[in-house]
Amino acid sequence: MHEMTVAELSAALAAGRISSEELTRAFLERIERLDPGLNSFITVTAEGALEQARAADRRRARGEGGPLTGVPVAHKDIFCTLGVRTSCGSRMLDNFVAPYESAVTERLAGAGMVTLGKTNMDEFAMGSSSETSHYGPVRNPWNPDTVPGGSSGGSASALAARLAPAATGTDTGGSIRQPAALCGVCGLKPTYGRVSRYGMIAFASSLDQGGPMARSAEDLALLLQAMAGFDPRDSTSVEEPVPDYAGELDAGVEGLRIGLPREYFAEGLDAGVARAVEEAVAQFRRLGAEVREIGLPNTRLAVPAYYVIAPAECSSNLSRYDGVRFGHRCADPTDIDDLYKRSRGEGFGAEVKRRILVGTYALSAGYYDAYYRKAQQVRRLIRDDFRRAFGEVDLIVGPTSPSTAFRLGERLDDPVTMYLSDIYTIAVNLAGLPALSIPCGFVDGLPVGLHVIGDYFREGRLLAAAHRYQRETDWHRRAPAGFGG
Amino acid sequence: MALESGEVEKIAHLARIAIRAEDVSEYRRHLSRILEFVAQMNAVDTHGVDPIAHPLDAVQRLRPDEVTEVDQRERFQAIAPQVDAGLYLVPKVIE
């Protein structure tokens, strides 16, 4: 049953063919047996999961609950979970047992989902390989010598290995979509403000957005339905009504205008990845979509602008970790400055410190205009490129990542090369748009992700296009050797 | 944009992050490389372009000025490094 999608598990639970307790035991057994080779979980909450599963079974027996009741889920360890350690992959929060529950985990638990545990990630979500975690690197089930992508690499790896049927992630510059692509699973970054950030540990607040990860577009729709909605506890949550995503799923792509940005099929794109994406585009054309070339002329400025804005916001957000109220505190501080400096020096890893320092520099006296202000001006140009494009087309399609999964350690000493892993995903965060990644082929046995970008609040259209594609193809059904049926 | 070692130490002080002396040169190398990379932004003329505050041009929502928080001091202090009589303890600040 580990091969089944959320929709299939939901039907089996509703028909009484399986119980949530059986299902939960099966996934917990797989995690125990297979995860030591992947390191996709930081914490497994077996006891709590079985309690939730039994409660879900009782709920279903009473004829209550919804489609997700009794279905297991793994949460990225960036979502605060009451009474359960929430580490964010950092030594700083190794001892942090969250005193409250995040909106996302609360909503999914309310829908009856069973939490299997907390997944591994790049420290504070800063990375594209899931190698910077205090708890060690995550491995990609398609080839354990390669990275799963990041920062939601634990969630992506667990899904690909069939250790969980559903997961959550967060996406600041590609952290849901890039690992989904590298692990051959599906991931959706919703419109900025669509899903509440309450209780989601902040990295760059103007870019951070939580979203679902799963193995089909249909499953993403079921999960997003439960996650989305207004939350007064998040000051940037939007008061837009949540549409019926499952109801929109069969809308297809006939007559839709799909734009291919010429800048996305240029230098730096792996030839095999390009071929797989072009074949997917041909498939959309056969399904009745009209495909045309478009221009997003400021694309090459997105990564540079992002690496000013994200570090600036991170340096501000992470100033809360001062060793006073929670988190790591150094031993025997001599004075308050020593307490701050050593607690932070010891508690944060190398990449987090690099970004705090870049952000501090960019915001420091005399440099603000040259870096932060300039980056926010460039951000407007990038947003306006997309606005113009969505005047001409309904969807934008391209590769999620310029290459397939790279080898562990390969980019760790070269931050800028690592940053360029997110060249196609970052602009979407700067513009606040929704986008998803679905599997569309393989190069040398490693999965390729197809990136589909939509206009604001058009998650339904994105999911319908992905679902239509997945009815014609079976890339999303492929499992890595040793982890399938 | 190459940074000097002294600049790295100054930024680290502003960020209140202790950096070991033997690591300064590596931070200098990495930060310089990142700053050189982000300088690619300068290739575009942004004269007269308004910096963006929010991609959907949203503004902060207002709410009635009412107390909505409940007292959770004990729960919060249970995870603090050092507390006494409801206070968070730090090294002596005022002589």
Side-chain angles (χ1 to χ4, degrees), chain A residues 198-448:
Chain A
Y198 178 76
M200 193 176 105
I201 295 174
F203 154 23
S205 303
S206 80
L207 304 160
D208 296 342
Q209 181 62 205
M213 301 175 76
R215 289 200 305 271
S216 75
E218 183 182 18
D219 289 1
L220 294 178
L222 290 169
L223 293 163
L224 181 64
Q225 197 76 54
M227 293 167 81
F230 175 64
D231 181 359
R233 299 170 299 180
D234 169 1
S235 66
T236 57
S237 175
V238 292
E239 294 191 71
E240 281 277 318
V242 180
D244 175 9
Y245 297 117
E248 286 183 40
L249 213 46
D250 289 319
V253 294
E254 218 180 313
L256 283 190
R257 298 161 301 169
I258 290 181
L260 302 183
R262 61 183 75 88
E263 295 82 2
Y264 288 13
F265 295 86
E267 198 193 330
L269 177 61
D270 176 89
V273 171
R275 264 195 304 279
V277 170
E278 280 156 14
E279 276 172 38
V281 170
Q283 180 73 55
F284 278 123
R285 206 181 264 126
R286 284 195 292 276
L287 292 170
E290 179 206 312
V291 178
R292 60 174 83 162
E293 196 179 86
I294 58 165
L296 295 170
N298 294 293
T299 293
R300 72 202 153 83
L301 301 174
V303 184
Y306 177 91
Y307 277 97
V308 171
I309 295 165
E313 294 186 21
C314 126
S315 77
S316 165
N317 268 325
L318 272 62
S319 65
R320 75 190 68 190
Y321 303 104
D322 57 5
V324 174
R325 290 156 305 150
F326 58 91
H328 177 74
R329 175 185 284 206
C330 66
D332 308 317
T334 54
D335 57 32
I336 192 75
D337 237 26
D338 184 47
L339 168 70
Y340 294 151
K341 286 184 174 175
R342 278 200 293 128
S343 297
R344 290 163 64 77
E346 295 165 4
F348 294 135
E351 177 63 16
V352 171
K353 283 189 268 199
R354 270 200 289 272
R355 294 205 195 181
I356 293 175
L357 295 175
V358 169
T360 303
Y361 179 77
L363 293 176
S364 64
Y367 295 100
Y368 181 88
D369 281 357
Y371 290 100
Y372 191 73
R373 188 183 150 84
K374 178 80 183 180
Q376 294 288 42
Q377 290 174 309
V378 171
R379 186 176 184 178
R380 177 179 295 277
L381 298 178
I382 289 163
R383 197 273 314 258
D384 291 350
D385 277 359
F386 279 111
R387 276 205 171 166
R388 262 190 300 278
F390 282 116
E392 292 172 40
V393 297
D394 303 302
L395 294 171
I396 295 174
V397 167
T400 307
S401 173
S403 72
T404 56
F406 44 93
R407 298 184 84 76
L408 280 153
E410 187 186 295
R411 300 185 186 174
L412 267 183
D413 192 48
D414 184 358
V416 171
T417 304
M418 185 73 92
Y419 297 169
L420 289 167
S421 312
D422 295 327
I423 187 160
Y424 306 122
T425 48
I426 268 176
V428 168
N429 298 77
L430 291 172
L433 293 162
L436 56 75
S437 180
I438 53 171
C440 72
F442 290 86
V443 176
D444 299 330
L446 291 170
V448 176

Side-chain angles (χ1 to χ4, degrees), chain B residues 46-88:
Chain B
T46 50
H47 187 77
V49 176
D50 265 347
I52 202 168
H54 187 289
L56 290 161
D57 302 317
V59 292
Q60 290 291 298
R61 210 172 40 242
L62 298 175
R63 65 167 177 83
D65 185 17
E66 288 162 2
V67 177
T68 55
E69 293 288 319
V70 292
D71 178 9
Q72 301 191 74
R73 187 169 77 174
E74 277 174 38
R75 189 184 264 184
F76 294 158
Q77 292 212 329
I79 50 167
Q82 213 184 346
V83 290
D84 187 34
L87 305 171
Y88 293 91

